[in-house]
């Protein structure tokens, strides 16, 4: 069991209120959906609709994003993994398929590190295991300062084009811009600092023994196709699939191809 009491004042309430996850729907083997930055569980709408007929689908919100209460204190991915493990223990879920996209992948690595027996299958989409380099760390600091001064406006301008393919569907652009604008500036700042400080998960890859699928948007500008291929090569026996006509948020830009890849993997 995770240590559910040893957390900050914004740790999940384990006395039954509020529910530990933003979405918990469907019946069957459990899928845990871990969202990208600076988004929330709504990123997974297409996957929730498709898979809840055959699976129990749980979508998580990182502290301060979506439906999760804001933490005044900074946090690390280790803290968020503890939130998730406490929530899963409360719901008596001993094993599942973890599906992490980008920042959600950083969280999935943390779950593997903390409780490998939880992860029956692993899906890593548009993510990478290494820590930030010096230039990336400085960019995180700079962006956190800008969000603290002027709110999420700068984030919408910087992030939205990076998350999408070269010629995005205007309706997807609109929804992404809205979701970013709705993100809590304080939550965004905490997430930027957590990403800046996250550990290198490369050494963990050799220990991943469960069936693993690595997915990459064919036009991903944040985590390149090469990065994702390299990640797949480092995980023994893993499968790799490119999602055509999609950028970083491959599950939202091409849900049909993403869901097919996921379904094929889950049916193995
Ligand atoms: C994400 O999509 O979660 C972020 O782009 C990840 C990152 O900035 O490292």
């Amino acid at each position: 069991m995770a240590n559910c009491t040893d957390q900050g004042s914004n740790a999940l309430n384990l006395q039954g209120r509020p529910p530990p996850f933003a979405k918990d729907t469907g019946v069957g083997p459990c899928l845990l959906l871990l969202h990208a930055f600076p988004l929330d569980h709504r990123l997974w709408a297409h996957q929730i609709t498709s898979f809840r007929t055959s699976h129990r689908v749980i979508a998580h919100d990182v502290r301060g994003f979506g439906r999760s209460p804001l933490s005044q204190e900074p946090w690390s991915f280790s803290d968020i993994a503890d939130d998730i493990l406490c929530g899963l223990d409360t719901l008596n879920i001993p094993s599942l398929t973890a599906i992490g996209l980008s920042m959600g992948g950083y969280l999935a690595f943390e779950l593997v590190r903390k409780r490998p027996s939880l992860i029956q299958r692993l899906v890593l989409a548009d993510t990478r295991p290494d820590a930030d380099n010096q230039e990336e760390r400085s960019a995180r600091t700079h962006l956190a300062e800008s969000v603290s001064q002027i709110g999420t406006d700068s984030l919408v301008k910087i992030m939205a084009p990076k998350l999408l393919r070269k010629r995005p569907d205007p309706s997807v652009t609109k929804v992404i811009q809205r979701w970013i604008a709705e993100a809590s500036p304080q939550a965004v700042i905490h997430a930027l600092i957590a990403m800046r400080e996250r550990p290198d998960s490369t050494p963990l890859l050799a220990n991943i023994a469960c069936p693993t699928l690595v997915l990459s948007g064919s036009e991903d500008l944040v985590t390149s196709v090469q990065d994702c291929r390299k990640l797949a090569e480092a995980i023994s026996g893993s499968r790799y699939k490119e999602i055509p006509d999609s950028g970083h948020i491959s599950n939202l830009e091409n849900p049909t191809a993403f869901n097919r890849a996921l379904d094929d993997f889950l049916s193995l």
Side-chain angles (χ1 to χ4, degrees), residues 74-77 80 103 106 132 140 188-199:
W75 46 259
S76 66
F77 287 108
I80 304 297
M103 181 177 80
Y106 308 159
D132 280 4
R140 303 270 196 213
V188 163
I189 292 166
H190 286 330
L192 284 166
I193 304 304
M195 289 195 284
R196 187 188 70 190
E197 301 301 325
R198 76 186 188 283

Side-chain angles (χ1 to χ4, degrees), residues 121-132:
R121 287 169 191 262
L122 181 61
V123 181
L124 298 166
D126 303 281
T127 194
R128 63 191 179 115
D130 41 319
D132 280 4

Side-chain angles (χ1 to χ4, degrees), residues 26-254:
V27 181
C30 186
L31 305 183
L32 174 67
L33 306 176
L34 304 165
H35 67 80
F37 168 86
L39 307 171
D40 57 58
H41 69 278
R42 293 174 292 179
L43 173 67
W44 297 109
H46 295 293
Q47 286 68 45
I48 294 170
T49 305
S50 260
F51 287 94
R52 71 176 162 206
T53 53
S54 52
H55 288 78
R56 179 174 184 176
V57 184
I58 291 183
H60 173 253
D61 275 339
V62 168
R63 291 184 195 182
F65 290 89
R67 295 184 180 157
S68 177
L70 181 66
S71 167
Q72 295 306 326
E73 300 302 316
W75 46 259
S76 66
F77 287 108
S78 170
D79 297 326
I80 304 297
D82 284 341
D83 288 350
I84 293 172
L85 292 173
C86 286
L88 294 172
D89 288 343
T90 307
L91 300 174
N92 288 316
I93 297 175
S95 62
L96 46 69
T97 296
I99 304 170
L101 194 139
S102 197
M103 181 177 80
Y106 308 159
L107 254 178
F109 291 132
E110 209 54 60
L111 290 172
V112 173
R113 198 178 343 265
K114 282 180 181 267
R115 195 183 290 177
S117 63
L118 173 73
I119 316 289
Q120 249 177 354
R121 287 169 191 262
L122 181 61
V123 181
L124 298 166
D126 303 281
T127 194
R128 63 191 179 115
D130 41 319
D132 280 4
N133 62 30
Q134 206 42 54
E135 198 183 322
E136 290 162 336
R137 287 172 59 84
S138 305
R140 303 270 196 213
T141 306
H142 186 71
L143 189 54
E145 280 164 8
S146 148
V147 171
S148 125
Q149 281 157 18
I150 59 168
T152 51
D153 278 3
S154 52
L155 201 62
V156 174
K157 283 197 198 87
I158 292 169
M159 286 298 294
K162 279 212 244 175
L163 296 181
L164 301 166
R165 66 188 184 206
K166 274 188 221 92
R167 290 197 186 82
D169 176 335
S171 65
V172 175
T173 304
K174 235 169 146 180
V175 92
I176 283 290
Q177 286 173 336
R178 178 162 58 81
W179 289 347
I180 299 175
E182 284 171 4
S184 145
Q186 188 60 66
V188 163
I189 292 166
H190 286 330
L192 284 166
I193 304 304
M195 289 195 284
R196 187 188 70 190
E197 301 301 325
R198 76 186 188 283
D200 180 10
S201 293
T202 312
L204 188 74
L205 303 181
N207 302 334
I208 296 180
C210 64
T212 300
L213 172 67
V214 177
L215 297 173
S216 171
S218 58
E219 299 178 31
D220 191 336
L221 295 173
V222 180
T223 319
S224 68
V225 164
Q226 287 75 12
D227 285 339
C228 291
R229 277 217 196 97
K230 205 170 123 200
L231 170 61
E233 280 161 17
I235 302 176
S236 166
S238 71
R239 282 151 201 273
Y240 170 78
K241 181 106 187 122
E242 207 167 292
I243 306 298
D245 304 320
S246 66
H248 190 55
I249 306 297
S250 54
N251 71 318
L252 189 68
E253 287 202 291
N254 193 345

